[in-house]
Amino acid sequence: MSEQIVVKKGLEGVVADSSSISKVMPEINSLTYKGYPVQDLAENCRFEEVAYLLFNGELPNAKELANFEQMERESRTISKDLISVIKHFPKKAHPMDTVRTGVSFLGMEDERIWDNSTPVNKDKAIKMLAKIPTIIAADYRARNNLEIIAPRKDLSFSENFFSMCFGEVPPTEVVRAFDVSLTLYAEHGFNASTFASRVISSTTSDMYSAVVGAIGALKGPLHGGANEQVMHMLKEIDDPAKAREWMLTALKEKRKIMGFGHRVYRNGDSRVPTMKKYAQGLGKFKGEPKWQEISDILEATMEEQKQIRPNLDFPAGPAYYLMGFDIDMFTPIFVMSRITGWAAHIIEQTENNRLIRPLSQYTGPGERKVTALSAR
Ligand SMILES: CC(C)(COP(=O)(O)OP(=O)(O)OC[C@H]1O[C@@H](n2cnc3c(N)ncnc32)[C@H](O)[C@@H]1OP(=O)(O)O)[C@@H](O)C(=O)NCCC(=O)NCCS
């Protein structure tokens, strides 16, 4: 019996279910959301349109977008109780832990928590989309002993986040690069955090619990946490003249280089060229080309040595740094975006559910008798 079992470590190559949300096509280096290439969406839509697409399956017309934006803008405020809890978070806690707890609190505040019907889950998704940035920004301000800034209804999703963090909206070049990054991060098939959210939803638990679990999965450096590690690496190198040697030494020591490699894309991540273009633009706009110079040398050396290509976290890390965000905010920003993909998957799983419960191959001791405690 055991000879017939084929264990796919890390579920590599396993098709666990079908999904109509996004299509990852590594062979042609392409990713589509509901059939639209992600680069096309990033260049031609605002993030709000992409969120609507993921929640509803179609891009909105002007009226649908206006209604959706109004709902999102009117849901940005978080309760006084939650603000008070955020103010009491340990100052040194990682913002991924604080946003995870914040979302858990939103679940406790929602009387419809057990209602998993699609209209209610879509409404919860919009509320989470609207409130997660407020939680992240409030926590950032509280942690730095700054006054918390209330959300503004007159600003777009991306503009409002800058306003809540820094008290002002930066030039269009910066907001646009941020908005593009949110579109690129929004959805990516059965990645680890999305799969975690689907496993939780498959037990018919609630949407907030599924998102909390997904945030926990995203935090890991092998998944979303890589965008923070990329910036720590670039800062450690600090000088383009040291970049090649740094990479050669790291590879010799068999270290995993953050921001490189991907379980699905073996020939390059389809999202990288768009993000790289905007990261380069930001470097020029801010008069800080150093991070791009270091990145280019790392990328070329990795290509020459191991033919492993960068993933989205590689250009996104320095882009967020140039926008002025603390490094530990990078993965929470990923949460602000990926909530759209998670919600779409939670709704899809719930609408056509079967408990996700795989098997394992047992490798422990054979059956044996219990020895009495006195004799052990
Ligand atoms: C993303 C990741 C977990 C995919 O891992 P995976 O599918 O399990 O691939 P493997 O770890 O089996 O890698 C295959 C080979 O490439 C190497 N490799 C993969 N990513 C590498 C990296 N970032 N740096 C150095 N070597 C890497 C592995 O060491 C392995 O080499 P080997 O066959 O000589 O042992 C992995 O590439 C990684 O850890 N990357 C860094 C973290 C990161 O950027 N994560 C964000 C993902 S979007």
Side-chain angles (χ1 to χ4, degrees):
M1 170 74 183
S2 63
E3 289 82 45
Q4 292 159 3
I5 296 175
V6 180
V7 175
K8 296 277 190 176
K9 191 86 175 152
L11 298 182
E12 185 163 1
V14 172
V15 178
D17 203 345
S18 44
S19 173
S20 69
I21 301 165
S22 65
K23 189 170 182 193
V24 186
M25 292 164 279
E27 61 290 348
I28 55 164
N29 206 3
S30 176
L31 166 67
T32 56
Y33 301 167
K34 290 283 174 188
Y36 295 105
V38 68
Q39 303 89 327
D40 203 2
L41 290 168
E43 295 289 5
N44 296 300
C45 298
R46 282 189 296 123
F47 176 61
E48 288 90 329
E49 295 168 68
V50 176
Y52 183 99
L53 171 71
L54 290 169
F55 292 168
N56 297 293
E58 294 295 338
L59 280 170
N61 62 30
K63 190 164 169 240
E64 287 163 338
L65 181 62
N67 285 340
F68 181 76
E69 285 200 282
Q70 192 186 349
M71 274 196 280
E72 186 274 311
R73 288 174 188 219
E74 282 176 0
S75 307
R76 288 174 180 171
T77 307
I78 54 174
S79 69
K80 285 202 176 70
D81 287 344
L82 180 48
I83 291 176
S84 159
V85 169
I86 290 172
K87 283 181 177 163
H88 287 91
F89 281 156
K91 292 269 188 287
K92 288 199 173 143
H94 191 283
M96 279 301 273
D97 297 331
T98 61
V99 69
R100 190 192 60 219
T101 305
V103 171
S104 190
F105 197 92
L106 291 180
M108 290 188 279
E109 288 185 312
D110 190 343
E111 286 173 4
R112 307 159 309 162
I113 188 162
W114 278 112
D115 188 340
N116 283 328
S117 63
T118 297
V120 172
N121 267 351
K122 275 192 190 173
D123 190 60
K124 287 178 190 166
I126 297 173
K127 298 273 158 45
M128 275 194 262
L129 174 71
K131 291 182 200 302
I132 285 174
T134 316
I135 294 170
I136 295 169
D139 174 60
Y140 163 74
R141 303 280 302 178
R143 208 162 3 106
N144 289 289
N145 299 312
L146 299 165
E147 208 171 306
I148 290 173
I149 300 173
R152 279 176 49 184
K153 285 186 198 167
D154 59 322
L155 298 176
S156 74
F157 184 86
S158 293
E159 288 168 340
N160 175 56
F161 187 62
F162 281 101
S163 162
M164 290 190 297
C165 288
F166 307 129
E168 59 185 34
V169 178
T172 321
E173 288 83 349
V174 178
V175 177
R176 182 75 197 119
F178 184 75
D179 207 74
V180 163
S181 79
L182 297 181
T183 292
L184 297 175
Y185 265 135
E187 160 57 14
H188 212 195
F190 276 21
N191 59 86
S193 58
T194 299
F195 192 63
S197 77
R198 289 190 75 125
V199 170
I200 294 169
S201 293
S202 82
T203 70
T204 69
S205 181
D206 69 284
M207 188 179 233
Y208 296 96
S209 298
V211 172
V212 167
I215 293 173
L218 190 73
K219 180 183 166 188
L222 294 190
H223 190 7
N227 61 9
E228 297 183 13
Q229 300 308 320
V230 166
M231 198 59 224
H232 288 303
M233 170 180 76
L234 295 180
K235 287 190 78 177
E236 185 192 323
I237 299 169
D238 196 51
D239 179 354
K242 294 186 193 152
R244 184 175 161 77
E245 215 36 53
W246 186 97
M247 179 63 106
L248 292 175
T249 307
L251 290 178
K252 214 160 131 198
E253 290 169 357
K254 299 224 170 297
R255 281 158 60 187
K256 272 266 163 84
I257 317 299
M258 292 295 127
F260 283 91
H262 199 278
R263 173 60 65 80
V264 182
Y265 298 116
R266 295 298 187 186
N267 298 314
D269 181 331
S270 59
R271 304 162 296 177
V272 165
T274 311
M275 194 65 240
K276 189 172 170 182
K277 182 183 115 182
Y278 283 89
Q280 269 168 343
L282 270 178
K284 281 196 195 116
F285 180 73
K286 293 266 176 180
E288 252 187 90
K290 178 168 87 173
W291 308 115
Q292 192 57 52
E293 286 164 21
I294 298 174
S295 300
D296 287 343
I297 296 166
L298 293 180
E299 186 178 338
T301 313
M302 186 60 130
E303 180 65 42
E304 169 200 293
Q305 296 291 315
K306 294 202 60 144
Q307 296 78 52
I308 297 175
R309 319 236 145 90
N311 57 55
L312 176 58
D313 294 319
F314 192 63
Y320 291 146
Y321 190 74
L322 286 166
M323 292 172 200
F325 293 111
D326 286 354
I327 295 176
D328 58 10
M329 299 272 281
F330 297 1
T331 320
I333 291 169
F334 193 160
V335 173
M336 277 171 55
S337 157
R338 186 55 66 86
I339 179 63
T340 55
W342 291 334
H345 280 274
I346 291 165
I347 290 167
E348 185 177 61
Q349 178 71 39
T350 303
E351 284 180 340
N352 187 11
N353 189 44
R354 181 150 173 88
L355 177 70
I356 299 173
R357 204 300 186 192
L359 300 174
S360 61
Q361 181 189 34
Y362 178 68
T363 58
E367 196 170 315
R368 46 191 172 158
K369 277 210 164 353
V370 174
T371 314
L373 184 59
S374 56
R376 267 180 259 152

